[in-house]
Amino acid sequence: MRLKKISINKKNINLSNQIDIKRIPDHIAIIMDGNGRWATKKGLPRSFGHNQGVSALKEIIKVSKNLGCKVLTVYAFSTENWSRPNKEVDFLINLFEKVLKKEINEIHQESIKIKFIGDLSPFPETLKSVLNSSEALTRNNKNFILNVCVNYGGRQELVKVAQEIAKKSFSGEIKPCDVNEELIKSELLTQGVQDPELLIRTSGEKRISNFLLWQLAYSEIYISEVLWPDFDESEFFKAIIDYQSRNRRFGGIESLANESLKDSYCSS
Ligand code: FPP
């Protein structure tokens, strides 16, 4: 049993024993919510919550990779987040740059391929250059994929897909009847990566908030009451245990074994 070999916090052994290592989701998506509330509750500026959110993310990357998950997709900055006060937007932009500069070598050593999903064009050149060089450095890594959604919106992604398909149809490259699910999938920003089996949202909010609207069609949703900075190994284990208790029917009547999902996995 691989679980026993990896380093697990002793207090979580009971939880880890409840996990079936053969049924770990290949792809987990996370809406990391509650940084601001975490800080406010402690009488601290919201920026403290975001800093602490980075530590939580680092822990969850490690834990999910150790468990055998292959892809983690996290929502770091939505298209709607620009409406926050300038001070907070600037803080987040600087934080992304600072964290990546500090962590990218370790990410690379761990053979993690990092990808940024979203429209990067409005970001400052310095950040864009760090995002692009991080992707380039880790492009051939094979152990794990970390998708970081920045300036991402699910509706905007689908509008872009529709525009690309319309262009192809207008130029005669395809006919309207060629438009099918496969074609749409091939135009998504997540193309080449299977859909998430599990979506985790923290802080008790029960919304998808414009995240991966196409890709989450059949994902199991786990809502954690814990605020993101407090989401740790034990909370992650609870999400996996809950996921493994579900009967995934995909609109049918019998559960499809995860093996059949694994067949559809292909990395870009
Ligand atoms: C949601 O909490 C969190 C965010 C908008 C930012 C998440 C970003 C990180 C954890 C940093 C990630 C860093 C890298 C390099 C990927 P909120 O501010 O909406 O909290 P609230 O709902 O309590 O106000």
Side-chain angles (χ1 to χ4, degrees):
M1 283 285 282
R2 212 157 12 133
L3 252 181
K4 296 231 165 68
K5 283 190 195 154
I6 61 174
S7 70
I8 286 169
N9 191 326
K10 272 196 186 125
K11 75 177 170 59
N12 298 328
I13 293 290
N14 277 348
L15 283 173
S16 74
N17 284 340
Q18 295 172 52
I19 294 176
D20 177 353
I21 199 69
K22 292 193 211 82
R23 292 196 300 126
I24 301 296
D26 278 336
H27 183 177
I28 300 175
I30 307 185
I31 302 178
M32 309 179 288
D33 198 11
N35 291 352
R37 274 165 285 165
W38 181 90
T40 307
K41 267 185 164 181
K42 292 183 163 10
L44 296 167
R46 290 173 60 85
S47 54
F48 280 65
H50 296 312
N51 279 331
Q52 203 54 39
V54 173
S55 304
L57 177 57
K58 279 165 66 179
E59 175 165 354
I60 295 310
I61 293 170
K62 233 172 244 166
V63 176
S64 52
K65 185 168 173 276
N66 280 345
L67 276 187
C69 170
K70 296 186 175 69
V71 186
L72 193 65
T73 301
V74 295
Y75 209 3
F77 193 89
S78 73
T79 44
E80 290 72 29
N81 285 153
W82 294 105
S83 65
R84 293 185 177 206
N86 286 345
K87 204 172 140 207
E88 184 166 344
V89 170
D90 289 346
F91 179 86
L92 283 169
I93 286 175
N94 287 330
L95 181 68
F96 296 151
E97 192 178 323
K98 191 178 87 183
V99 169
L100 272 169
K101 280 182 177 160
K102 183 162 171 267
E103 305 292 343
I104 195 61
N105 285 335
E106 194 182 333
I107 289 173
H108 186 42
Q109 275 158 19
E110 289 288 321
S111 192
I112 297 173
K113 174 174 168 174
I114 193 163
K115 264 199 91 188
F116 298 96
I117 293 187
D119 175 10
L120 307 187
S121 61
F123 289 126
E125 289 305 321
T126 47
L127 176 60
K128 276 194 278 192
S129 137
V130 175
L131 301 181
N132 290 331
S133 60
S134 302
E135 280 192 348
L137 177 70
T138 62
R139 174 158 295 140
N140 297 318
N141 290 345
K142 301 270 183 273
N143 273 1
F144 189 80
I145 298 174
L146 174 64
N147 292 320
V148 182
C149 296
V150 279
N151 192 28
Y152 173 85
R155 285 186 175 176
Q156 291 81 346
E157 178 183 34
L158 293 176
V159 166
K160 205 76 182 58
V161 168
Q163 286 173 346
E164 289 309 313
I165 290 176
K167 272 190 224 160
K168 284 185 179 163
S169 179
F170 189 70
S171 70
E173 197 182 320
I174 58 165
K175 294 193 283 295
C177 62
D178 293 330
V179 180
N180 55 26
E181 289 193 17
E182 285 315 306
L183 182 67
I184 293 173
K185 272 169 89 169
S186 73
E187 295 288 350
L188 291 170
L189 296 168
T190 52
Q191 46 121 321
V193 174
Q194 71 168 75
D195 294 340
E197 295 99 315
L198 172 63
L199 168 71
I200 298 173
R201 180 169 189 155
T202 57
S203 90
E205 303 289 351
K206 299 175 182 71
R207 287 186 297 278
I208 292 183
S209 296
N210 205 15
F211 189 42
L212 302 176
L213 295 182
W214 176 278
Q215 298 87 337
L216 292 174
Y218 283 102
S219 308
E220 295 295 327
I221 300 178
Y222 177 82
I223 308 289
S224 167
E225 294 300 322
V226 164
L227 302 173
W228 175 249
D230 289 330
F231 194 82
D232 58 7
E233 182 182 70
S234 64
E235 297 303 326
F236 186 78
F237 284 175
K238 286 180 202 166
I240 300 293
I241 293 163
D242 188 83
Y243 164 82
Q244 292 187 338
S245 74
R246 316 267 181 102
N247 183 12
R248 304 191 76 207
R249 292 190 300 276
F250 300 91
I253 51 173
E254 259 179 55
S255 173
L256 279 182
N258 274 6
E259 272 61 57
S260 61
L261 283 173
K262 281 191 177 126
D263 289 345
S264 65
Y265 178 81
C266 56
S267 73
S268 54

Coordinates of all heavy atoms in Angstrom, one line a residue, residues 31 75 78-80 149 152-158 201 207-216:
I31 N -11.7 25.4 -5.9 CA -12.0 26.8 -5.8 C -11.5 27.2 -4.4 O -12.1 26.8 -3.4 CB -13.5 27.1 -6.0 CG1 -13.9 26.7 -7.3 CG2 -13.7 28.6 -5.8 CD1 -15.4 26.9 -7.6
Y75 N -8.2 27.6 -8.9 CA -8.8 28.9 -9.4 C -8.1 30.0 -8.5 O -8.4 30.2 -7.4 CB -10.3 28.9 -9.1 CG -11.1 29.8 -10.0 CD1 -10.6 30.5 -11.0 CD2 -12.5 29.9 -9.7 CE1 -11.5 31.2 -11.9 CE2 -13.3 30.6 -10.6 CZ -12.8 31.3 -11.6 OH -13.6 32.0 -12.4
S78 N -10.1 35.1 -10.8 CA -11.1 35.0 -11.8 C -11.2 36.3 -12.6 O -10.7 37.3 -12.2 CB -12.5 34.7 -11.1 OG -12.9 35.9 -10.4
T79 N -12.0 36.2 -13.7 CA -12.2 37.5 -14.5 C -12.9 38.5 -13.7 O -12.8 39.7 -13.9 CB -13.0 37.1 -15.8 OG1 -14.1 36.2 -15.5 CG2 -12.1 36.5 -16.9
E80 N -13.7 38.0 -12.7 CA -14.5 38.9 -11.8 C -13.6 39.6 -10.7 O -14.0 40.6 -10.1 CB -15.6 38.2 -11.2 CG -16.7 37.8 -12.1 CD -16.4 36.6 -13.1 OE1 -15.5 35.8 -12.7 OE2 -16.9 36.6 -14.2
C149 N -5.5 28.7 -12.8 CA -6.4 29.5 -13.6 C -6.3 31.0 -13.1 O -6.5 31.3 -12.0 CB -7.8 29.1 -13.4 SG -8.1 27.4 -14.1
Y152 N -9.3 33.9 -15.4 CA -10.0 32.9 -16.1 C -11.5 33.0 -15.8 O -11.9 33.4 -14.7 CB -9.6 31.5 -15.6 CG -10.5 30.4 -16.1 CD1 -10.3 29.8 -17.4 CD2 -11.6 30.0 -15.4 CE1 -11.1 28.8 -17.9 CE2 -12.5 29.0 -15.9 CZ -12.2 28.4 -17.1 OH -13.1 27.5 -17.6
G153 N -12.3 32.8 -16.8 CA -13.8 32.7 -16.6 C -14.3 31.7 -17.6 O -13.9 31.6 -18.7
G154 N -15.2 30.8 -17.0 CA -15.7 29.7 -17.9 C -16.6 30.2 -19.0 O -16.5 29.7 -20.2
R155 N -17.4 31.3 -18.8 CA -18.2 31.8 -19.9 C -17.3 32.4 -21.0 O -17.5 32.2 -22.2 CB -19.2 32.9 -19.4 CG -20.3 32.3 -18.7 CD -21.3 33.3 -18.3 NE -22.5 32.7 -17.7 CZ -23.5 33.4 -17.2 NH1 -23.5 34.7 -17.3 NH2 -24.5 32.8 -16.7
Q156 N -16.3 33.2 -20.6 CA -15.3 33.8 -21.5 C -14.6 32.7 -22.3 O -14.4 32.8 -23.5 CB -14.3 34.6 -20.8 CG -14.9 35.9 -20.1 CD -15.5 35.7 -18.8 OE1 -15.8 34.5 -18.4 NE2 -15.8 36.7 -18.1
E157 N -14.3 31.6 -21.7 CA -13.6 30.5 -22.4 C -14.5 29.9 -23.5 O -14.1 29.7 -24.6 CB -13.3 29.4 -21.4 CG -12.6 28.2 -22.0 CD -12.3 27.0 -21.0 OE1 -13.1 26.8 -20.1 OE2 -11.3 26.3 -21.2
L158 N -15.8 29.8 -23.1 CA -16.8 29.2 -24.1 C -17.0 30.2 -25.2 O -17.2 29.7 -26.4 CB -18.1 28.8 -23.4 CG -17.9 27.6 -22.4 CD1 -19.2 27.3 -21.7 CD2 -17.4 26.4 -23.1
R201 N -14.7 22.9 -3.2 CA -14.7 24.4 -2.9 C -14.7 24.6 -1.4 O -15.4 23.9 -0.7 CB -16.0 25.0 -3.5 CG -16.1 26.5 -3.2 CD -17.1 27.3 -3.9 NE -16.9 28.7 -3.7 CZ -17.3 29.6 -4.5 NH1 -17.9 29.4 -5.6 NH2 -17.1 30.9 -4.2
R207 N -21.3 27.4 -4.9 CA -21.5 28.0 -6.2 C -20.3 27.5 -7.1 O -19.2 27.2 -6.5 CB -21.4 29.5 -6.2 CG -22.6 30.2 -5.7 CD -22.4 31.7 -5.9 NE -21.3 32.2 -5.1 CZ -21.3 32.5 -3.9 NH1 -22.4 32.4 -3.2 NH2 -20.2 33.0 -3.2
I208 N -20.5 27.5 -8.4 CA -19.4 27.1 -9.3 C -18.6 28.4 -9.7 O -17.4 28.3 -10.0 CB -19.9 26.4 -10.5 CG1 -20.4 25.0 -10.1 CG2 -18.8 26.2 -11.6 CD1 -20.9 24.1 -11.2
S209 N -19.2 29.6 -9.6 CA -18.6 30.9 -9.8 C -17.8 30.9 -11.1 O -16.6 31.4 -11.1 CB -17.7 31.2 -8.6 OG -18.4 31.4 -7.5
N210 N -18.4 30.5 -12.2 CA -17.8 30.7 -13.5 C -16.5 29.9 -13.7 O -15.6 30.3 -14.5 CB -17.6 32.2 -13.8 CG -17.5 32.6 -15.3 OD1 -18.0 31.8 -16.1 ND2 -17.0 33.7 -15.6
F211 N -16.4 28.8 -13.0 CA -15.2 28.0 -13.1 C -15.4 26.8 -13.9 O -16.4 26.1 -13.7 CB -14.8 27.5 -11.6 CG -13.4 26.9 -11.5 CD1 -12.3 27.3 -12.2 CD2 -13.3 25.8 -10.6 CE1 -11.1 26.7 -12.0 CE2 -12.0 25.2 -10.5 CZ -10.9 25.7 -11.2
L212 N -14.6 26.5 -14.9 CA -14.6 25.3 -15.7 C -16.0 24.8 -16.1 O -16.4 23.6 -15.8 CB -13.9 24.2 -15.0 CG -12.4 24.5 -14.6 CD1 -11.8 23.3 -13.8 CD2 -11.5 24.7 -15.8
L213 N -16.8 25.7 -16.7 CA -18.3 25.4 -16.8 C -18.5 24.1 -17.7 O -19.4 23.3 -17.4 CB -19.0 26.6 -17.5 CG -19.0 27.8 -16.6 CD1 -19.8 28.9 -17.3 CD2 -19.6 27.6 -15.2
W214 N -17.7 23.9 -18.7 CA -17.9 22.7 -19.6 C -17.3 21.5 -18.8 O -17.9 20.5 -18.8 CB -17.1 23.0 -20.9 CG -17.1 21.8 -21.8 CD1 -16.3 20.7 -21.7 CD2 -18.0 21.5 -22.9 NE1 -16.6 19.8 -22.7 CE2 -17.6 20.3 -23.4 CE3 -19.1 22.2 -23.4 CZ2 -18.3 19.7 -24.5 CZ3 -19.7 21.6 -24.5 CH2 -19.3 20.4 -25.0
Q215 N -16.1 21.7 -18.3 CA -15.3 20.6 -17.8 C -15.9 19.9 -16.5 O -15.7 18.8 -16.2 CB -13.9 21.0 -17.4 CG -13.1 21.5 -18.6 CD -13.3 23.0 -18.9 OE1 -14.3 23.6 -18.6 NE2 -12.3 23.6 -19.6
L216 N -16.7 20.7 -15.8 CA -17.3 20.2 -14.5 C -18.6 19.5 -14.7 O -19.3 19.1 -13.7 CB -17.4 21.4 -13.5 CG -16.1 22.0 -13.0 CD1 -16.4 23.2 -12.1 CD2 -15.3 21.0 -12.2

